[in-house]
Every structure is written in structure tokens, then in C-alpha cells.
Amino acid sequence: MSSLAWCSYKRITVEPLAKALGARVLGVDLSQIIEQEVLDEIRMAWQKYLVLVFPEQDITDGQQVRFSRQFGELEIYPLGDNRSQHNPEIFRVSNCDAAGQLLPADDPESLWNNLTEYWHTDSSYRTVPAQGAVLHGREVPPHGGDTLFVNLVEAFDGLPEKRQKSLENLVVVHDWQYGTEYADHLMKAMKSEEIESVPPVRHPLIRTDRSTGKRALFVSPAYASGIDGIVVKEARDLIAELCEWAIQPQFIYRHSWSRHDVVMWYNPLTMHAREAFDYGRERRIMHRTTIVGT
Ligand code: OGA
Ligand code: MN
């Protein structure tokens, strides 16, 4: 990363964290109303580095919603139990209940939370996948629970040209309910209207992001149930193979959480997965807001 990257921002400090993606942003207080010029710089850094880390941001849910809304409308998570009662835009990603009580390790809600251990792009099961997400680490475990992010543009660019061409016209089915097959031991009972609210959708395997014009290897294996015109097993093998390719160390940024880190990712060009932690004993409470895609 050239040292010029450090100089192109006037109002914030942006420090690259890894070769492929990720940068730390200093000089901004997310609890306050942020001036347009600063927001513009954050947006620029967000689209360039794909994962931004704002350390030491002890913000309320309301402040998180206000900050996130400045980048677009917010999604409402399909499952009612995971939404905060006071702020429906807040999706609780947690092994504790809404009152903050640690859930037993075999509690369906706690197991469900472990779905984030599978590689995925948020909301790839929507017609337009989310533009981004903002995740506030309210309580983080002392060991484990890192979140790994992949730069899917570099993963695509890194493929041999011939391979890129062979993948160009493939269309992938992304299906929320596919999780019941993919991770059946983690699935919790869902209401039929919750399932019906997110029917299967299709996205090109090589997907162009409208806002940046960049092309990404859009795999999201946790939701990718098949590929049009290819028998199911072969399609899933291909998705698994491309996922293996994408998660090579040179395409990754690993985030080890400190309490009150706020991490914001540019969703259509990345995927992520959380690492294991002692979920029956250690508390991990993350609050997410999700910016609607364009
Ligand atoms: C998410 C997610 C990972 C984590 O919030 O979308 O996948 O580390 N979270 O909690
Ligand atoms: Mn996620």
C-alpha cells in the first residue's frame, strides 16, 4: 500500500491493516453527528479498503442507526427474535438473550448464532444484496471469535484469465432456506412468513457492483444452493472450490475484536466468517445495522 494512501484524507486518518483489504479509521467520533465532508471521506475509504475499523466507539444503538443511515436505507432482518425491540434496524448477533443473559450452549438461539462461522456475504439471498454492514462489538470474548474478511475482487482478479472466462456467464441461486440443508444442526424453527419473506434469488457468479463498477467472485457458500444449468452436486462442488480459492491468506484481513470496535464492511465485494469461541461460557454481543444495496 503506498504511503500516499495516508495523505489523501484531510479530515480522517486511514491506516491500512492488511495487503488485501482493511483499514483503521481514526479521528472520528461515531456518537456525534458527522459532517458531510467527513462522511464523504469515510465512504471513499470504505469503497477502497472494503473493511473499516473504528476503534473505541462506545455508541448507543440509536447512534449506530443514525451513523449507518447516512450511507443509505437500513435493512430489517427477516427473523423477529433477532431484532432489537427498541430499534428494529438493530440485528442482535449474540449468544446472549435480549436481556443480556448468557444462553446455554445447547440453546437453539446460541447455536443459530454459530451460522456466522460459515463463509457468506450478508443478504446475498436478497434481490439486491446489502451494500454494507456496521457491526459494533459491545461485548467480545477474551479468546477466539475473530472475524475474517475476504476481498472478492482480488479473488476474482487472481484467477487465471481462462478460468475467469469460463465462469463469466454462470448464474447462482442464493436461497435463505438452503441453510436448513447446509447447516441443519444450527437451524432454529422459523415462522413460515419469515421464510416466505425471502424467496430464492439469482446473482451472476461474477457480479459487478453498481456503485464501484468492480467485478467480484460472488460466491457466498452459506446461501448458494445451486447454479443454473448445472446438476446440484457439481454446482455445489464448484462453489466450494471457488470458496477455497477465495479464502487464501493473501485475500484476507483478520479482525481480532476489542470491546467497542465498530467494523464497517463493503458487502458486495467481500465475504466473511467468524471463528469459533467458547460460546457456552464467554459472552459475545454484537449489534449490526445493514445498509440496503443499490
Ligand atoms: C454478521 C456476521 C460475524 C461476527 O454480523 O453479519 O457475520 O463476527 N458477524 O459476529
Ligand atoms: Mn454476516
Side-chain angles (χ1 to χ4, degrees):
M1 210 69 78
S2 104
S3 59
L4 265 181
W6 295 62
C7 315
S8 51
Y9 301 91
K10 294 194 175 69
R11 302 290 304 274
I12 57 175
T13 301
V14 179
E15 301 174 351
L17 289 165
K19 200 171 151 289
L21 73 169
R24 186 186 295 117
V25 178
L26 303 172
V28 47
D29 179 350
L30 302 188
S31 72
Q32 301 299 310
I33 291 173
I34 297 170
E35 289 171 56
Q36 192 56 46
E37 222 180 301
V38 177
L39 279 175
D40 291 345
E41 291 196 358
I42 293 173
R43 186 184 290 278
M44 210 159 73
W46 182 41
Q47 294 186 344
K48 179 175 165 84
Y49 294 99
L50 306 181
V51 177
L52 299 182
V53 177
F54 301 86
E56 295 181 41
Q57 303 284 346
D58 183 1
I59 50 172
T60 64
D61 287 343
Q63 288 163 344
Q64 182 173 345
V65 168
R66 183 177 65 192
F67 170 69
S68 309
R69 269 221 189 103
Q70 290 175 289
F71 296 90
E73 287 299 305
L74 301 186
E75 281 185 12
I76 304 289
Y77 194 64
L79 302 185
D81 287 351
N82 297 86
R83 299 196 290 256
S84 153
Q85 278 195 333
H86 308 290
N87 292 82
E89 300 95 337
I90 294 279
F91 163 28
R92 294 187 303 104
V93 183
S94 175
N95 64 336
C96 298
D97 67 15
Q101 282 293 320
L102 180 68
L103 295 166
D106 60 355
D107 188 285
E109 197 61 44
S110 190
L111 291 170
W112 162 257
N113 185 240
N114 291 340
L115 274 179
T116 53
E117 287 183 27
Y118 294 101
W119 287 101
H120 64 283
T121 296
D122 291 334
S123 306
S124 73
Y125 52 81
R126 294 190 193 270
T127 321
V128 184
Q131 180 92 343
V134 176
L135 192 64
H136 174 202
R138 298 178 74 92
E139 290 192 46
V140 300
H143 310 286
D146 289 1
T147 311
L148 274 60
F149 294 90
V150 164
N151 182 334
L152 294 176
V153 178
E154 292 203 354
F156 173 65
D157 288 345
L159 285 169
E161 217 178 306
K162 227 170 126 191
R163 192 78 207 278
Q164 292 179 345
K165 283 254 168 336
S166 76
L167 300 173
E168 213 151 50
N169 295 318
L170 297 180
V171 175
V172 181
V173 180
H174 293 254
D175 185 353
W176 162 273
Q177 226 201 332
Y178 170 55
T180 53
E181 269 177 72
Y182 193 76
D184 58 342
H185 63 296
L186 298 179
M187 294 305 281
K188 64 178 178 182
M190 285 184 269
K191 299 192 187 89
S192 56
E193 64 263 30
E194 289 175 333
I195 294 173
E196 283 159 17
S197 75
V198 278
V201 298
R202 287 175 160 74
H203 297 297
L205 177 59
I206 311 306
R207 186 176 180 279
T208 304
D209 172 47
R210 283 227 219 134
S211 298
T212 58
K214 290 183 182 164
R215 301 209 307 162
L217 183 63
F218 197 72
V219 272
S220 199
Y223 302 118
S225 64
I227 299 178
D228 284 346
I230 299 185
V231 289
V232 173
K233 172 151 186 347
E234 275 175 37
R236 292 181 184 171
D237 286 351
L238 176 57
I239 288 160
E241 182 208 321
L242 293 172
C243 178
E244 279 308 305
W245 166 263
I247 63 174
Q248 295 180 87
Q250 69 267 31
F251 303 133
I252 285 191
Y253 164 64
R254 164 190 293 273
H255 186 66
S256 300
W257 289 88
S258 295
R259 189 168 194 204
H260 294 313
D261 280 345
V262 169
V263 174
M264 176 180 190
W265 58 91
Y266 194 78
N267 192 57
L269 302 181
T270 57
M271 66 173 176
H272 56 274
R274 194 205 76 208
E275 286 193 332
F277 71 103
D278 192 354
Y279 61 91
R281 288 192 201 160
E282 303 288 0
R283 300 158 62 80
R284 190 175 189 276
I285 303 183
M286 320 297 275
H287 282 190
R288 190 182 98 190
T289 35
T290 315
I291 301 152
V292 170
T294 52

